[in-house]
């Protein structure tokens, strides 16, 4: 049951951060909360009371605005509060914080409305349910969603192109630096200690004729030759380190594995969408 129209609406403040510290747009969690509370404080018709706050993403890992409702624990918690009658709706800074993909945005709105909840954003006010007598209402909301989705696509495009251009210039684009290099202030620099380890292994191979497995065992027996992450050496890792061809093969395998994970995630997402019909 929702509160009477003349009573203060009980709203849940919904925040989301999608990149570390919102490096792309600078709109972090504190700023989102401040905007929502400022809006709520200024409302008189209806009066608004924030009764709870939920967050998706922690400023480190983040939570994408394209993820489905069941992958957003904060948003799911808000929906449960509405379903249990402990809140009358949700309040977000803008629709972009609910979702940056139009289909996800519309799914979230429909779910909240179906539970009798109301949806507000600090930059717009209430987003009313669809009405057959007012098709412009739906069209304008969805147009905003389209532009949010376009904005996300342009951000990804700029980041991808920037990384590719930096990589072509020999700079550090992304990913873990290879053995013998480290990232400093966004640039790759030589790691003298690691390069010394690689040179020692090369001497063992070229001057003593040690096999990859023998090099691995000797390195593991010493305390001054740690692997990249400080653990034990593995023959495959040593082989990649000493062979450019092996490194390239490993890179290609890693790229294929990422593509396969992305495809699997796409299929799982499609299955969840179909299950919700």
């Amino acid at each position: 049951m929702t509160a009477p129209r003349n009573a203060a609406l009980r709203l849940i403040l919904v925040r989301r951060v999608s990149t570390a510290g919102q490096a792309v747009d600078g709109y972090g969690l504190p700023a989102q909360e401040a905007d929502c509370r400022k809006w709520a404080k200024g409302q008189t018709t209806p009066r608004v009371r924030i009764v709870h706050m939920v967050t998706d993403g922690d400023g480190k890992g983040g939570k994408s605005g394209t993820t489905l409702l069941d992958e957003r624990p904060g948003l799911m918690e808000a929906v449960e509060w509405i379903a249990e009658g402990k809140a009358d709706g949700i309040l977000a800074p803008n629709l972009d914080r609910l979702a940056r993909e139009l289909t996800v945005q519309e799914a979230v709105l429909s779910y909240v409305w179906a539970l009798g909840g109301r949806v507000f954003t600090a930059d717009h006010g209430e987003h009313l349910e669809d009405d057959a007598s007012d098709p412009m209402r739906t069209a304008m909301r969805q147009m905003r969603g389209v532009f949010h989705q376009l904005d996300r696509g342009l951000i990804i495009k700029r980041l991808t192109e920037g990384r590719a251009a930096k990589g072509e210039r020999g700079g550090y684009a992304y990913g873990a630096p290879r053995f013998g290099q480290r990232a400093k202030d966004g640039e790759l620099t030589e790691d003298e200690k690691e390069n010394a380890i690689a040179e020692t292994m090369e001497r063992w191979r070229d001057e003593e004729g040690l096999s990859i497995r023998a090099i691995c065992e000797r390195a593991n027996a010493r305390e001054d030759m740690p692997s990249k992450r400080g653990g034990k050496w593995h023959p495959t890792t040593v082989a990649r380190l000493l062979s450019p061809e092996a490194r390239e093969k490993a890179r290609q395998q890693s790229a294929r594995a990422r593509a396969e994970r992305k495809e699997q995630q796409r299929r799982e997402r499609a299955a969840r969408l179909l299950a919700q019909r």
Side-chain angles (χ1 to χ4, degrees):
M1 291 292 291
T2 58
R5 291 279 168 164
N6 60 350
L9 283 173
R10 303 164 299 168
L11 300 184
I12 299 174
L13 196 162
V14 176
R15 309 182 304 172
R16 177 180 65 82
V17 64
S18 60
T19 54
Q22 285 299 319
V24 173
D25 56 21
Y27 197 31
L29 298 177
Q32 294 175 39
E33 180 182 353
D35 285 349
C36 287
R37 292 193 181 279
K38 180 179 179 181
W39 177 89
K41 187 177 180 179
Q43 297 308 299
T44 56
T45 308
R47 291 186 297 112
V48 167
R49 181 164 59 95
I50 295 175
V51 295
H52 189 48
M53 181 171 68
V54 297
T55 303
D56 283 314
D58 58 3
K60 297 179 181 178
K63 182 62 69 173
S64 170
T66 65
T67 50
L68 300 177
L69 184 60
D70 61 358
E71 296 176 322
R72 301 268 297 277
L75 197 53
M76 281 296 293
E77 182 181 349
V79 167
E80 290 170 1
W81 273 55
I82 295 172
E84 295 169 2
K86 296 190 293 184
D88 305 304
I90 60 176
L91 168 63
N94 51 47
L95 286 177
D96 178 45
R97 293 302 103 183
L98 286 182
R100 274 194 170 178
E101 203 168 87
L102 180 60
T103 53
V104 179
Q105 168 191 298
E106 294 299 291
V108 171
L109 294 174
S110 297
Y111 197 15
V112 173
W113 288 333
L115 292 171
R118 299 168 70 176
V119 179
F120 296 83
T121 58
D123 68 338
H124 174 81
E126 184 169 12
H127 294 271
L128 299 172
E129 291 188 60
D130 293 338
D131 186 340
S133 66
D134 186 10
M136 282 299 293
R137 175 192 301 174
T138 302
M140 294 303 293
R141 182 188 72 244
Q142 292 182 346
M143 284 178 64
R144 286 193 293 272
V146 167
F147 282 108
H148 286 318
Q149 184 170 322
L150 174 61
D151 180 59
R152 174 180 179 270
L154 291 174
I155 288 172
I156 293 174
K157 181 175 182 291
R158 288 197 299 270
L159 289 174
T160 302
E161 290 177 346
R163 287 169 175 168
K166 190 172 184 179
E168 289 174 358
R169 296 193 301 267
Y172 175 50
Y174 47 82
R178 67 175 179 81
F179 195 82
Q181 293 182 327
R182 57 190 175 90
K184 183 178 180 180
D185 299 327
E187 298 293 337
L188 282 181
T189 61
E190 295 298 312
D191 188 310
E192 294 182 1
K193 182 178 180 180
E194 289 184 352
N195 281 320
I197 292 174
E199 291 173 1
T200 299
M201 289 183 174
E202 288 174 353
R203 286 199 304 272
W204 291 347
R205 178 196 61 190
D206 299 338
E207 298 176 8
E208 300 183 36
L210 294 185
S211 67
I212 295 297
R213 186 169 296 279
I215 292 173
C216 182
E217 291 175 353
R218 182 182 288 187
N220 284 334
R222 294 175 53 162
E223 296 182 354
D224 61 341
M225 297 185 69
S227 66
K228 185 71 174 179
R229 297 179 180 175
K232 293 292 186 179
W233 286 97
H234 188 276
T236 303
T237 310
V238 174
R240 284 203 302 265
L241 175 61
L242 299 180
S243 169
E245 294 79 10
R247 283 200 300 272
E248 176 60 20
K249 182 178 179 180
R251 188 193 66 78
Q252 294 177 0
Q253 290 176 340
S254 179
R256 285 196 296 271
R258 287 195 300 271
E260 290 172 359
R261 286 196 299 271
K262 187 174 182 179
E263 175 65 15
Q264 181 62 27
Q265 290 170 352
R266 186 189 68 79
R267 291 179 180 275
E268 291 175 353
R269 185 179 185 195
R272 285 196 297 272
L273 283 171
L274 291 172
Q276 293 173 7
R277 290 182 178 274

